[in-house]
Amino acid sequence: MAESFAEKGAFEYELIREGSEGIIRIECKQYNRVPSLENDPVTFQKTCDIINEVGEGTRLVFIQKREYEYDVVQTGYVKEIADIYLQLYRQRELINYTAFLADKSCTRYAAAWYAKVKDVVSRHLRSDPIGAYVTVKRLFRDEQIAFQKSSDGAMKKCMAKYFEVLTMLIKMFEKTKLIGLAQPHLPGYKIGDRTIYSRIFTPNIKPDFLHTKLMSKFPEEGDELDSYKSEGTEVTIFSLPDTIQYLYHVVPPEFNLTEDKYEILDDARKIMTEHKPKKSEFIDPERMRTVFFNIGRDLIEELVEYKHIKLKQAEIDELTHILVRYTVGFGLIEVLLQDEKIQDITINSPMGESPMFIVHADWGDCKTNIFPNPSEADSWASKLRMISGRPLDEANPILDTEITVPGATARVGVISSPLDPTGLAYAFRRHRDKPWTLPLFVHNGMLNSLAAGLISFIVDGSRTMLIAGTRSAGKTSVLGAVLTEIMRKYRIITIEDTLELPGNALRKLGYNIQQMKVASALTKGSSEVSADEGIRTTLRLGDSCLIVGEIRSKEAKALYEAMRVGALANVVAGTIHGDSPYGIYDRVVNDLEVPKTSFKATDCIVVANPIRSADGLSRVRRVTQITEVRKKWENDPLLENGFSDLMKYDAATDQLIPGDDLINGESEILKSIAGNVKEWASDWDAVWDNIQLRAKMKETIVNYARKSKDFSLLEADHTIQANDEYHRISESVREEVGSLDPKKIFFEWNEWLKRTIKRKKLY
């Protein structure tokens, strides 16, 4: 039996009778926050008003995308607060202006006292009763001090009436169970802090494995621009009439489950939470997930059997993946990271007041239909602290680390109080789960085949290289592609404060690679080794290519020390923020205090920058310059012709165009490389032919991939194999004909490529 009531806006409600119980069901689908008595003062106030209107009710149920149920005891706590307000409303004479008048002489004080009490009762009693109680207690204490210090007899007489009102309110509060439960936690209490409410109110959420709010309904006035599936998740892109920002709308599989499956997940989660992962288990998150997956699958199978529900093995595995995602994982963050088209995810504080935002490969900046919950944000912070072993507290309000989830890895930046005064905020930079390659960049338009051939030549020539660019320019991706151009016979050492380079992937592809993780420049008091000491350590680890994830601070001096002494036997490369070669020089020399003469150890600067459309609504990533650093300058490389653009971006053609020095063979770096190879020494045409040969090979791979629509040919495993084959064939041709004949090398390499593709089709 249901008795309907109505409330305009987000809080429509009805009373449903079940036996002796009266359940107040409150509809909150139009409310833009999670309806929570413990976290949201508006919900608490609306609930008090609804209880007073209904006049009865033993349980509260808030309905949004899930049901939040508060039991009889918790509902009783709210009912007592609602009763106080109703009593004061009905007996307004208890706290109105005249209640403060002992006689006419009190009029000069009564108005101020009445205003203070009215503010507490009208504005705070129903939304923050604990804060209202503490305010009244502090008013009483402060006025007592003033009373004792005052020598004004008339004022003291008036204050007696004020004390009567405050004492009455204090007694009313202290009769409630809510204030009784809050008392042990009140020392040092800050008005507005709702932590105490979270200790008292614990709703039953169905299904309670999901804390993050997701607005699953399509926007009524939105125009659908794109739709696709990502790992079982439905993705739709909408344009909206009221903003130029697109909406990235997701419906993950956990929102399309049957009630039986929800019940199984809910029961399994409650059991799984009894075993919370230890800090030591987070050291190897991949292994921990495997363990929890196996435990979760066994548990779900038992629950399915116990409840006599028929599920296929694929359905059980799907439920297990969801269970792990919302216990030891990162919830809906993982759903977003599994979408290969997402590049960045940002989550702003305060949690729940704004959606997550993403940067999409095709649609740029988008808002999402996902609203994170504060408890979920706290859970992520705890997990990231354990995974990274780095602090996140008042002394260290910034945390840089990385996470690996099924199908993706990401760099994570977190800020907290006091840097973020409203809580926690997150930024996730998604990395491709496979290394980038030069053929992939040619295919995507980041650079052209000639630029790819030039970079390949410079890498094989063991030069020093800086990959520069602004934020989100693709610097780390380009550096990862450079790694795939290093021959597998060489040892590689990478140094990063947050692991972003594809070290594990390259190790699985047969590379001799050693990763080193050093202290973040933003972390204080860390036990990790500093970046500059890490770089110096590499010089004692034997002959190796040195790759530095990002040059930020004092490690720059150590890097240039490595460039000068470890020198040109192997590639030395790293990324750095800057939008031009001179900008890099200025930062390295003036900001990072590297001597000018040491900067000359840089051979080549590759600049990557985002290129915006004329309307500003879209952008693409492009390599905009490949510049060599010449050595014969003294004070200013810009004024003394110290930079030579081997290739530069032309906006009209959206291409990198070769510069005069490259075409005419006036590049000092390329001639230096050629001087170490007998067949190329003093023969610029041979050098140019080899660069073009490499360019032709990259272009051929891309053309075959496009023609066959087999884009796996562009991936690292095939690209590295093609590079290895090029080196083998080159050696064979040199022994056979006495020179590096580019036509013969390409012919034999192309025949190998066709055989490889044919073999791949057969299998």
Side-chain angles (χ1 to χ4, degrees), residues 434-439 459 477-488 492 502 506 509 511 698 714-717 719-721 723-724:
K434 298 177 182 178
W436 281 96
T437 66
L438 294 181
V459 171
S477 299
V478 173
L479 184 57
V482 166
L483 285 172
T484 65
E485 292 299 309
I486 298 174
M487 282 193 277
R488 277 190 277 197
I492 300 172
L506 292 174
L509 291 170
Y511 271 84
K698 306 297 184 191
L714 308 176
E715 297 294 349
D717 54 349
T719 297
I720 293 166
Q721 188 182 4
N723 289 343
D724 284 353

Side-chain angles (χ1 to χ4, degrees), residues 289-547:
R289 276 180 176 271
T290 301
V291 171
F292 270 74
F293 182 87
N294 292 334
I295 295 171
R297 183 170 55 192
D298 291 343
L299 177 57
I300 288 174
E301 286 175 347
E302 289 177 13
L303 288 169
V304 166
E305 185 177 353
Y306 175 75
K307 294 177 181 292
H308 305 292
I309 299 171
K310 292 184 178 179
L311 292 180
K312 297 176 182 177
Q313 190 59 50
E315 293 175 297
I316 291 173
D317 287 346
E318 179 188 47
L319 292 181
T320 307
H321 283 297
I322 295 171
L323 176 63
V324 172
R325 190 185 302 159
Y326 291 99
T327 49
V328 298
F330 288 84
L332 284 177
I333 290 290
E334 295 188 11
V335 172
L336 294 180
L337 289 175
Q338 285 168 352
D339 184 349
E340 293 184 356
K341 294 187 177 183
I342 285 183
Q343 297 168 346
D344 291 278
I345 304 168
T346 52
I347 307 169
N348 302 322
S349 67
M351 290 293 152
E353 293 192 8
S354 59
M356 295 183 189
F357 296 89
I358 60 122
V359 177
H360 194 275
D362 298 333
W363 299 101
D365 296 276
C366 304
K367 65 179 181 180
T368 72
N369 60 326
I370 303 171
F371 288 76
N373 179 282
S375 62
E376 191 83 337
D378 290 340
S379 173
W380 297 335
S382 297
K383 290 169 184 173
L384 290 171
R385 277 193 290 263
M386 288 189 280
I387 289 170
S388 66
R390 292 174 175 172
L392 181 64
D393 48 36
E394 286 192 4
N396 295 274
I398 305 169
L399 172 61
D400 264 336
T401 187
E402 66 284 332
I403 60 171
T404 300
V405 300
T409 60
R411 177 175 180 170
V412 188
V414 192
I415 59 172
S416 66
S417 176
L419 183 60
D420 182 348
T422 56
L424 290 161
Y426 293 85
F428 294 80
R429 169 69 54 82
R430 186 189 188 280
H431 299 308
R432 202 167 179 272
D433 52 346
K434 298 177 182 178
W436 281 96
T437 66
L438 294 181
L440 271 169
F441 281 140
V442 173
H443 172 65
N444 292 333
M446 179 99 172
L447 44 72
N448 56 24
S449 57
L450 180 60
L454 177 59
I455 291 172
S456 176
F457 185 87
I458 293 170
V459 171
D460 267 355
S462 298
R463 298 291 107 173
T464 61
M465 181 184 299
L466 291 181
I467 314 297
T470 57
R471 286 190 69 255
S472 301
K475 301 184 295 297
T476 304
S477 299
V478 173
L479 184 57
V482 166
L483 285 172
T484 65
E485 292 299 309
I486 298 174
M487 282 193 277
R488 277 190 277 197
K489 70 177 184 177
Y490 295 126
R491 188 185 190 208
I492 300 172
I493 297 178
T494 66
I495 298 179
E496 303 173 86
D497 60 1
T498 300
L499 299 180
E500 298 183 85
L501 294 171
N504 287 333
L506 292 174
R507 189 176 296 111
K508 291 175 182 177
L509 291 170
Y511 271 84
N512 177 7
I513 186 167
Q514 173 63 55
Q515 291 176 283
M516 294 173 62
K517 186 174 181 181
V518 294
S520 169
L522 300 174
T523 302
K524 302 174 185 176
S526 171
S527 61
E528 296 171 295
V529 173
S530 65
D532 58 325
E533 183 59 33
I535 291 173
R536 291 189 177 98
T537 300
T538 64
L539 301 179
R540 299 190 289 270
L541 293 179
D543 190 27
S544 306
C545 301
L546 174 59
I547 309 296

Side-chain angles (χ1 to χ4, degrees), residues 494-738:
T494 66
I495 298 179
E496 303 173 86
D497 60 1
T498 300
L499 299 180
E500 298 183 85
L501 294 171
N504 287 333
L506 292 174
R507 189 176 296 111
K508 291 175 182 177
L509 291 170
Y511 271 84
N512 177 7
I513 186 167
Q514 173 63 55
Q515 291 176 283
M516 294 173 62
K517 186 174 181 181
V518 294
S520 169
L522 300 174
T523 302
K524 302 174 185 176
S526 171
S527 61
E528 296 171 295
V529 173
S530 65
D532 58 325
E533 183 59 33
I535 291 173
R536 291 189 177 98
T537 300
T538 64
L539 301 179
R540 299 190 289 270
L541 293 179
D543 190 27
S544 306
C545 301
L546 174 59
I547 309 296
V548 181
E550 185 168 349
I551 302 161
R552 304 172 188 260
S553 186
K554 59 183 180 180
E555 70 271 10
K557 290 183 179 179
L559 176 64
Y560 276 90
E561 183 182 320
M563 286 181 176
R564 288 165 68 98
V565 301
L568 304 174
N570 294 294
V571 174
V572 179
T575 69
I576 189 169
H577 280 89
D579 61 357
S580 67
Y582 189 77
I584 303 309
Y585 163 79
D586 186 46
R587 176 139 194 261
V588 169
V589 172
N590 295 321
D591 296 345
L592 303 181
E593 300 178 347
V594 171
K596 293 178 182 178
T597 53
S598 294
F599 180 76
K600 293 180 183 180
T602 309
D603 290 327
C604 179
I605 297 174
V606 177
V607 181
N609 278 317
I611 304 296
R612 292 189 177 274
S613 61
D615 57 15
L617 293 178
S618 61
R619 62 183 179 182
V620 292
R621 290 184 173 97
R622 294 288 185 265
V623 169
T624 55
Q625 281 176 271
I626 301 176
T627 303
E628 76 168 33
V629 180
R630 292 182 167 174
K631 315 307 177 187
K632 295 178 182 179
W633 54 271
E634 296 297 330
N635 295 309
D636 191 317
L638 192 63
L639 298 177
E640 300 174 52
N641 198 30
F643 295 124
S644 172
D645 289 330
L646 302 180
M647 298 192 76
K648 194 162 185 178
Y649 179 75
D650 177 61
T653 59
D654 190 31
Q655 291 286 328
L656 279 163
I657 304 299
D660 291 342
D661 285 345
L662 177 60
I663 294 172
N664 298 328
E666 297 301 323
S667 164
E668 294 178 4
I669 299 302
L670 299 183
K671 286 192 286 187
S672 176
I673 294 172
N676 293 322
V677 180
K678 184 178 69 172
E679 288 81 5
W680 296 338
S682 303
D683 188 350
W684 172 250
D685 288 338
V687 172
W688 179 245
D689 286 346
N690 189 264
I691 292 171
Q692 289 191 310
L693 168 62
R694 293 166 187 263
K696 189 175 181 181
M697 289 191 298
K698 306 297 184 191
E699 187 174 7
T700 301
I701 292 173
V702 173
N703 290 338
Y704 274 126
R706 289 173 175 171
K707 186 177 179 180
S708 65
K709 298 192 183 302
D710 181 6
F711 295 104
S712 67
L713 295 173
L714 308 176
E715 297 294 349
D717 54 349
H718 184 264
T719 297
I720 293 166
Q721 188 182 4
N723 289 343
D724 284 353
E725 197 62 29
Y726 156 73
H727 289 292
R728 274 195 294 267
I729 291 172
S730 295
E731 186 66 22
S732 173
V733 168
R734 179 165 54 183
E735 290 177 358
E736 180 183 344
V737 301

